[in-house]
Amino acid sequence: MIKQPSLDRLDEESRRHAEQAQAAMRELIALIPRRFAYADEIDLVFRPDHAPNDAQ
Amino acid sequence: MRSDPAAPPLTAAAASRALAAGRVTAAALVEDCLTRIAAQDGRLDSFVLVVAEEARRAARAADRARKAGRARGPLHGIPFALKDIYGTAGIRTTAHSRLLLDHVPKQDSTVARRLGEAGAILVGKLATHEFATGGPAFDLPFPPARNPWNTTHFTGGSSSGSGAAVAAGLVPLAMGSDTSGSIRGPAGYCGIAGFKPTYGVVSRSGVIPLANSLDHCGPMAWTVEDCALMLDAIAGHDPADPAAADRPYKSVRRGLKGGIAGMRIGVIRHFFERDVEAEPQTLAAIEAALKVLRKLGARLLPVTLPPHRDWDACCRVILYAEAYAIHERDLAERPEKYAAITRARLFAGQVVSAGDYIQALRWRRELCLRYAEAMAGLDAVVTGCTLNPAPRIDDMAKPPFFSPKGRLLMAPFSITGAPALSVCSGFSTDGLPLSLQIAGAPFADATVLRIGHAYEQATPWRERRPPL
């Protein structure tokens, strides 16, 4: 099994900093709108030279 | 023929003209850089590696080639330096990290190769925040770069060494990279020009990545003209970069001096007046800059976009999810090798779920559409960049290492992939640079640079150098 990063393997100070960063990231995640429904058009690929409504 | 190290450093454009006219040699230009580096960089720590003998050899070869009528173009014989994430064949490339101290690429990055093919001369590798995402840190193999305007102050990052070295006149040209402001931030704090081209215009092949859908490579120089000179040498499709823009590249230097009379420029005021408040001197400098643009004949129009908080959140969720994926193995197996600030920031990406990431990508698409709508009928937009003079470096190196509120106006032009330029807009009462940001629609790089050049020519900021 591939080893995953874990806060448990950090020393106490590093863990505290990482937890603070993760808490701040959760605040940003909470801002993401969740209004996109499964029936909406999905266009996940970002290309600056696509016209906005180009199909993939 | 020698350059005079006691004189103000030459811009790349001026050096290019002097080389063509036979008033200076490449050997003299390189020696000038090496002398300045030796004299100043002990205080600035902008370089992590200087390749003096290689640079001298390349300079002698460049002079011989020019004498034989084989000068390759305007960058032939011009010294430059690379942020130490750009792969250089046979030359250590560390990303300023303990993890890559022994990493010596076998191949040049595309940018390094194209600059070499243009005849430019690599002088060394520049300090960066670790993996282009840490921060100024004192627990890394190399010290953090310092701001030449006041060495107790921060350069901005992550292209910290690039900002410092160019501002101090150690090299005329440097490459930076910008994922969410890493060219524009140091350009702003160090008082130079820094350009993030449209996403995909400059190849990222051979450059250590941070976030693949957000990474941009771009030039940093004393002037906008020099940025344009460098961009012309490095831009253009590269099949080795899967995100490379697949359209012909047109020189940005050709129309650079055309002026801006009649241009329609949007002003995104709410970004720097309400969403993230600029401190008073920065605000005054932005207003003064807008007056200059009006005087140059541009028509300024108000623009409203979604609040900056939205752009910043969307950008950082995507950025740190992608960065975490890149660093996942090292965070698992050797997290202690990272600086504390880098490690904390990368671990932030661990809490972004697949659902969060996909929703952020959809949000990104929506924000891009809002930007495209706002840009309709406009040649460019102007807004703030760094919103205060550079802070003290010691304050930036302290925790907390990740704030939920971004204080730099970078994200909108990162997530849209739009071209964006930071130019010096004046100085604080403490003598620290202030900045302005000019951005455009994707692939309007030439227009953005033209506006920046016109503004620069109409203001006295390029006459002032750091008091080193």
Side-chain angles (χ1 to χ4, degrees), chain A residues 3-7 9-10 14 17-18 20-22 24-29 31-37 42-52, chain B residues 199 247 309 313 316 320 324 328 331-332 335 343-344 347-348 350-352 356 359 362-366 368-369 399-402 404 415-417 442-443:
Chain A
K3 199 172 170 186
Q4 293 293 322
S6 170
L7 296 187
R9 284 197 278 277
L10 303 181
S14 303
H17 294 321
Q20 180 277 323
Q22 291 185 343
M25 176 56 79
R26 288 193 181 93
E27 289 189 48
L28 298 180
I29 291 167
L31 296 175
I32 302 171
R34 305 282 175 163
R35 59 176 170 268
F36 302 104
I42 296 172
D43 183 355
L44 298 180
V45 175
F46 172 68
R47 294 252 332 252
D49 54 348
H50 267 184
Chain B
Y199 180 81
R247 59 166 68 186
R309 179 197 65 176
R316 287 203 280 158
Y320 283 102
Y324 178 77
E328 195 173 29
L331 286 172
R343 185 171 50 239
F347 262 105
Q350 188 182 46
V351 301
V352 181
D356 295 333
Q359 297 286 14
R362 287 171 164 160
W363 195 21
R364 181 179 189 175
R365 199 77 178 121
E366 188 179 77
C368 288
L369 289 173
F401 293 140
F402 193 104
I415 70 177
T416 53
F443 301 103

Side-chain angles (χ1 to χ4, degrees), chain B residues 49 87-94 100-107:
Chain B
L49 179 68
T88 39
I91 298 173
R92 189 186 70 189
T93 301
T94 68
L100 291 180
L101 266 185
D102 299 322
H103 172 59
V104 180
K106 292 191 175 62
Q107 278 190 309

Side-chain angles (χ1 to χ4, degrees), chain B residues 153-167:
Chain B
H153 284 249
F154 181 39
T155 54
S158 60
S159 309
S160 49
S162 309
V166 167

